[in-house]
Amino acid sequence: MRRRQRRSGRAVLLAALLVLGTALVLRTLRATTAAGGVPAEPPRNPPAPPAAPAPAAGGPSYDLHAFYYAWYGSPRFEGRYRHWDHALVPHWDPRVSAGFPRGRHRPPDDIGSSFYPALGPYSSRDPAVLAEHMGQLRAAAIGVLVLSWYPPGQGDDPEEPSDSLVPAILDAAHSQAIQVAFHIQPYKGRDDHTVHENIKYIMDKYGSHAAFYKYKTSTGRSLPLFYIYDSYLTPPESWANLLSPSGSHSLRNTAYDAVFIALLVEEGHKQDILSAGYDGMYTYFASNGFSFGSSHQNWKAIKTFCDANNLMFIPSVGPGYIDTSIRPWNNHNTRNRVNGKYYETALQAALTVRPEIVSITSFNEWHEGTQIEKAVPKKTPTRLYLDYLPHQPSMYLELTRRWAEHFSKEKEQWLM
C-alpha cells in the first residue's frame, strides 16, 4: 500500500513538472514572438510560394522554339513605361469603334494585359529580368528564343529601337545554353531588298556569337533560321528574287544563305510560299480557328503539302488567347486556357503531324494573353486580372517541360 502511495506521489510530482515545463516553453515562445521571432500562431491558409520548375533532364530542346518580345520598358530603365501603357486599339469600323473605350493604360496597376506578370511591369533592358527569363525558358526545356526584331533605327515603338538589346539577350541566353533565332517583323518599306540587307547585317554582327541559332539541314549544313512575320505582305515573285537560286539578288549558295520560314495565314498562302522560294512555314497565331493556318484541324493537310514539296512545317501552339485589354472589341477570338487543357490540346495536335520543330506563341506576348511566363493574381480598385490559379505561377513552364520530354521521346519513335 505504501509503495503504491509513493508511486502515486512520484506520478503527481512528474505530472506537475511536465505542466510547469510546458508553461515555461509556451512563455518562451511568446517572448520570442514579442521580440520579432517566430510567431506563436501561424497565419491561416498561408499562400504557397511560387514553385520554380527544375531544369529538364538533358538540357533544353532545340526543337522547341518560343516567340519572345523585348519591347517592354519601365521608368527605371527607359524613363517611362513602354508597352505596358499600350493604347486601346480602335476597331476599323468607326460605328463599331464608337461603342468601346479609348485611351491608354496607366501602369503599374493598370497595364495592357489581361494577366499580370510575376515580375511586375518590367523593362526588357533589366539584366535581372533577362536572367530570370532565361532561367524560366531553361526550366521549361525551351532551347530556342525567337526574338522579335526590327532593323536598327526602327521598332514597334520608334523611340525604342530593338536591335540595341540583341547583345545582352544573346549573352543572357548563352548563360543557360539557350540559342537565339530572329523573327523579322514588318516595318515601313520592308521588301526583298531591305530583308537582304537585314540578313547580312544580322549574320555579320551576331552570326559568330555562341548563342546564335543554326539549324542542321538534312544535307548536314548548319544554317541560321529566320522567321518572317506577315511575309504575305510582299508578293511571292519579289521574295523569289531573294530566295530562289536564280533570283536577281539571291542569298542561296552564298555566305548569307539560311533557312527562311514564312507565315501561313490563308490556305492560298501555301502555294505562294512555295513559289517564293521559302524553306517552310509556321502558323504563329494561338487562337485555334482564327485563321486557316492556326486551325488545328488543318495541320495534317498542311504537313502533307509541305512533305510533298520538301518544305518544313512548324506548327505554333499557345496556352490561350485574350487581347481585349488592347482590342476591347475582339472578344470573339478569346480562347480560354481551361487550366492548361487548351495548351495541351494544341501540343497534342502539333505532335500528331510529326513536325521537326514546334513553336510556342509565346513566352511573353502579354498584350494578347499568350504568355507562358509566370503570372500572379492581382486585384486593384478598377481591375481584376486573370491568373493561373489553382495552379502555381510556373504552371505553363512545367507543362512545357513535360511536353518537351514527350516530344523528344516521340521523335525517337518516329526515327525508328
Side-chain angles (χ1 to χ4, degrees), residues 270-344:
K270 292 188 300 181
Q271 196 61 48
D272 289 344
I273 290 168
L274 178 63
S275 63
Y278 274 96
D279 301 289
M281 56 189 76
Y282 72 115
T283 59
Y284 186 77
F285 300 108
S287 183
N288 183 24
F290 169 71
S291 69
F292 173 84
S294 70
S295 299
H296 303 163
Q297 65 182 16
N298 297 327
W299 287 355
K300 184 178 179 181
I302 297 169
K303 180 63 159 56
T304 299
F305 176 86
C306 288
D307 287 348
N309 292 282
N310 198 29
L311 296 173
M312 190 187 306
F313 176 47
I314 304 179
S316 303
V317 300
Y321 187 93
I322 180 167
D323 67 354
T324 50
S325 66
I326 62 168
R327 300 182 187 97
W329 39 265
N330 197 34
N331 190 58
H332 62 283
N333 279 318
T334 294
R335 300 293 182 269
N336 193 296
R337 293 188 173 223
V338 204
N339 288 327
K341 290 184 176 63
Y342 182 88
Y343 192 33
E344 293 199 271

Side-chain angles (χ1 to χ4, degrees), residues 29-103:
L29 283 172
R30 291 192 186 102
T32 304
T33 300
V38 180
E41 294 183 7
R44 295 179 182 177
N45 300 320
S61 168
Y62 299 107
D63 299 327
L64 202 57
H65 298 189
F67 296 109
Y68 184 89
Y69 294 85
W71 54 25
Y72 301 105
S74 68
R76 180 182 170 193
F77 286 87
E78 284 80 13
R80 68 175 181 86
Y81 288 107
R82 295 188 188 276
H83 262 267
W84 302 113
D85 66 342
H86 203 293
L88 297 173
V89 180
H91 194 275
W92 54 85
D93 184 338
R95 294 170 297 179
V96 175
S97 188
F100 291 93
R102 300 288 292 273

